[in-house]
Amino acid sequence: MNLRILPLFLFSLALLPGCKEKKPQQASTPPTVEVISASETDLPVYREIVATLQGPVNTKIKPKIQGYLLTQEYEDGALVKKDDLLFTIDPSTYEIDVQQAKANVEVQEANLVKAELTVQRDQELIKADAISQKQLDNAVQERDAVKAQVAASKAALNQAKLNLSYCKIYAPIAGIVGKASTDIGDLVGPTQVLATMSNLDPIQAVFYIPERAYMSRAERLQELVKIPLSERPEDIELVMADGSIYKHKGRFQFINRQIDSGTGTIGVYVLFANPNSILRPGQYAMVRIKINTLKDIIKIPQRAIVETQGMSSVYTVNSDDTVASVPVKLGETSGSNVVVTSGLKTGDTVIVEGIQKVKKGAKVKTTLFKSSSSDSSDSSSSSSNSSASSSQSSTSSSGSDSSSGSSSSSDSSSSSADSSQGTQS
């Protein structure tokens, strides 16, 4: 039995030297990362504040007389011109009033002719000493009274004609008329609103700023008020709910007359051209106003920042292609980018993509970082301060220039937009 196993054991020993041979290890390839070269640039700083849109003129359409609604001459939500016919009230009763007033005028005019003849006759008789002076005086007095009655009847006729004209209700302004609040055949009167219409071109954006922010910009706002409205700069952008920028820029219109004692805020009004009536009253939007320009700053993509225990740092690539970790201090945000206030200098190579593949001291291969369309579009606008002023109460409780974003760090007390307005929600 042992003799059979011996040959297999010797054969296994012969194979052992081959098992101990190791293949040479291949050198690991350095990972490829995307980088940018830090450079200085100017960065505009914007403030964004929530605003409510409204028509500069909002008119409630009310009848001036009582009657039954006969027709509605417009379609709900239609854009109408000034003096377009909107409603008609049954004129039957008022046509009769006009006829009666005309008849009364004719009666009074006939009475006046009779009174004039009486006075003329008595004047001849008084000369012949045929009547007393008292009789002549009475005739003159009666004639004058009839004259007054003629004037009163003519005034009543004019009033009747005016009431008849009120049976047709015209648009007092050009704009959009909302849904009618009454139906055909309803009895309507002067206290009832038939519809509401608004002038939409231009349209107002209204928002509120805290008293402290107003005081920091009061002189600038007063200077703008002195400039004719048509000559004021159009430098205010409107950011819509879908994130798009409205194609027409707005201009400061006015600031309200007083600060609300309950909220500590004051309303500011901005006008935007609205030729196609795209913007509607009640919409929420963000007014974006340039408040400052940061000169000679270094700006990098936010994705390049590494946060560790509350500290910010970036990975840079040295001239020998090794990775270094550099602590940085951050400032304003600009869309997907952030301002680096210290830690980097012009010419530093900063890793943007592939951070997870590197470590300090390791070698890497570099390629130029290609920014996305959102990165490039955001680079021209600075920290957007999404306003917390969606309501006056929230604005007052914050006690600051209802905005969020990094630009509020140093400019919250002084950068209330030159034409900021808040919202009532």
Side-chain angles (χ1 to χ4, degrees):
M1 195 69 178
N2 294 333
L3 295 176
R4 292 179 182 179
I5 298 175
L6 182 60
L8 294 175
F9 177 75
L10 296 175
F11 179 76
S12 299
L13 291 176
L15 294 178
L16 286 178
C19 294
K20 292 182 180 179
E21 293 182 3
K22 296 182 179 179
K23 296 181 179 180
Q25 294 183 352
Q26 296 180 354
S28 60
T29 304
T32 301
V33 294
E34 296 183 20
V35 299
I36 61 169
S37 179
S39 61
E40 292 183 346
T41 184
D42 293 342
L43 180 67
V45 181
Y46 293 87
R47 184 170 297 280
E48 290 184 352
I49 305 177
V50 177
T52 302
L53 303 184
Q54 66 179 31
V57 180
N58 300 287
T59 302
K60 293 181 178 179
I61 308 300
K62 295 182 179 181
K64 295 182 179 180
I65 56 172
Q66 188 176 39
Y68 291 96
L69 194 63
L70 195 61
T71 63
Q72 177 182 329
E73 301 294 336
Y74 74 96
E75 294 184 1
D76 291 340
L79 180 64
V80 300
K81 298 178 181 178
K82 187 178 184 297
D83 296 327
D84 280 357
L85 182 61
L86 301 180
F87 299 96
T88 59
I89 294 175
D90 186 1
S92 303
T93 302
Y94 298 98
E95 290 174 344
I96 294 173
D97 290 343
V98 170
Q99 294 173 2
Q100 290 177 341
K102 284 182 178 179
N104 189 38
V105 169
E106 292 174 357
V107 170
Q108 298 302 331
E109 286 179 341
N111 291 337
L112 179 59
V113 172
K114 179 182 177 181
E116 288 284 4
L117 293 175
T118 300
V119 171
Q120 292 176 8
R121 183 174 61 251
D122 287 353
Q123 286 175 343
E124 293 297 327
L125 291 175
I126 196 69
K127 293 177 182 178
D129 228 5
I131 60 173
S132 65
Q133 182 65 40
K134 181 179 179 181
Q135 184 176 340
L136 175 61
D137 292 341
N138 289 338
V140 172
Q141 183 180 11
E142 184 177 351
R143 181 200 62 187
D144 292 343
V146 174
K147 280 185 178 180
Q149 291 174 357
V150 170
S153 63
K154 287 183 178 180
L157 175 59
N158 290 334
Q159 182 63 57
K161 289 180 177 179
L162 185 61
N163 289 340
L164 179 59
S165 70
Y166 288 156
C167 290
K168 292 185 176 181
I169 302 173
Y170 298 93
I173 59 173
I176 289 182
V177 190
K179 186 181 185 305
S181 57
T182 54
D183 296 322
I184 303 302
D186 287 352
L187 180 63
V188 297
T191 61
Q192 190 167 2
V193 177
L194 303 183
T196 302
M197 66 178 304
S198 299
N199 185 336
L200 300 185
D201 188 19
I203 195 168
Q204 281 180 336
V206 187
F207 59 93
Y208 293 80
I209 59 174
E211 180 180 359
R212 182 179 64 178
Y214 162 69
M215 293 305 300
S216 67
R217 291 284 177 168
E219 293 184 3
R220 172 58 178 159
L221 292 173
Q222 292 303 319
E223 291 176 1
L224 284 173
V225 170
K226 296 177 182 178
I227 302 174
L229 181 61
S230 60
E231 298 177 10
R232 295 174 191 172
E234 293 183 334
D235 54 2
I236 302 173
E237 293 181 338
L238 193 66
V239 184
M240 308 309 298
D242 60 358
S244 62
I245 305 297
Y246 185 56
K247 62 181 179 179
H248 297 287
K249 290 188 177 183
R251 58 163 56 99
F252 168 75
Q253 184 185 15
F254 70 94
I255 192 162
N256 209 354
R257 67 181 182 86
Q258 70 176 30
I259 294 175
D260 190 315
S261 59
T263 63
T265 60
I266 189 168
V268 191
Y269 297 72
V270 176
L271 288 180
F272 290 89
N274 190 26
N276 298 321
S277 300
I278 295 176
L279 305 180
R280 296 301 180 98
Q283 275 186 274
Y284 286 98
M286 305 283 288
V287 290
R288 175 186 288 171
I289 305 162
K290 182 179 177 180
I291 58 174
N292 192 15
T293 299
L294 301 178
K295 298 289 186 179
D296 302 328
I297 55 91
I298 293 178
K299 178 181 61 176
I300 64 173
Q302 293 188 49
R303 68 184 70 183
I305 304 299
V306 178
E307 297 287 347
T308 305
Q309 297 181 349
M311 303 295 291
S312 300
S313 63
V314 297
Y315 285 120
T316 60
V317 181
N318 298 324
S319 58
D320 59 354
D321 293 334
T322 57
V323 175
S325 177
V326 178
V328 293
K329 291 185 178 180
L330 307 180
E332 316 287 353
T333 58
S334 172
S336 61
N337 298 319
V338 63
V339 174
V340 177
T341 59
S342 67
L344 291 179
K345 61 182 182 298
T346 301
D348 284 349
T349 301
V350 181
I351 299 177
V352 178
E353 289 288 354
I355 294 176
Q356 70 281 3
K357 298 185 292 184
V358 303
K359 60 182 180 179
K360 185 177 179 181
K363 283 186 172 292
V364 293
K365 289 183 179 180
T366 61
T367 183
L368 187 62
F369 171 69
K370 296 179 180 179
S371 61
S372 64
S373 59
S374 61
D375 294 330
S376 59
S377 63
D378 289 338
S379 62
S380 62
S381 64
S382 174
S383 66
S384 49
N385 298 304
S386 304
S387 169
S389 61
S390 57
S391 67
Q392 292 188 44
S393 59
S394 63
T395 307
S396 62
S397 63
S398 65
S400 62
D401 195 357
S402 55
S403 57
S404 65
S406 59
S407 66
S408 63
S409 60
S410 59
D411 300 309
S412 62
S413 63
S414 62
S415 60
S416 77
D418 291 347
S419 51
S420 303
Q421 311 172 8
T423 47
Q424 285 178 306
S425 64

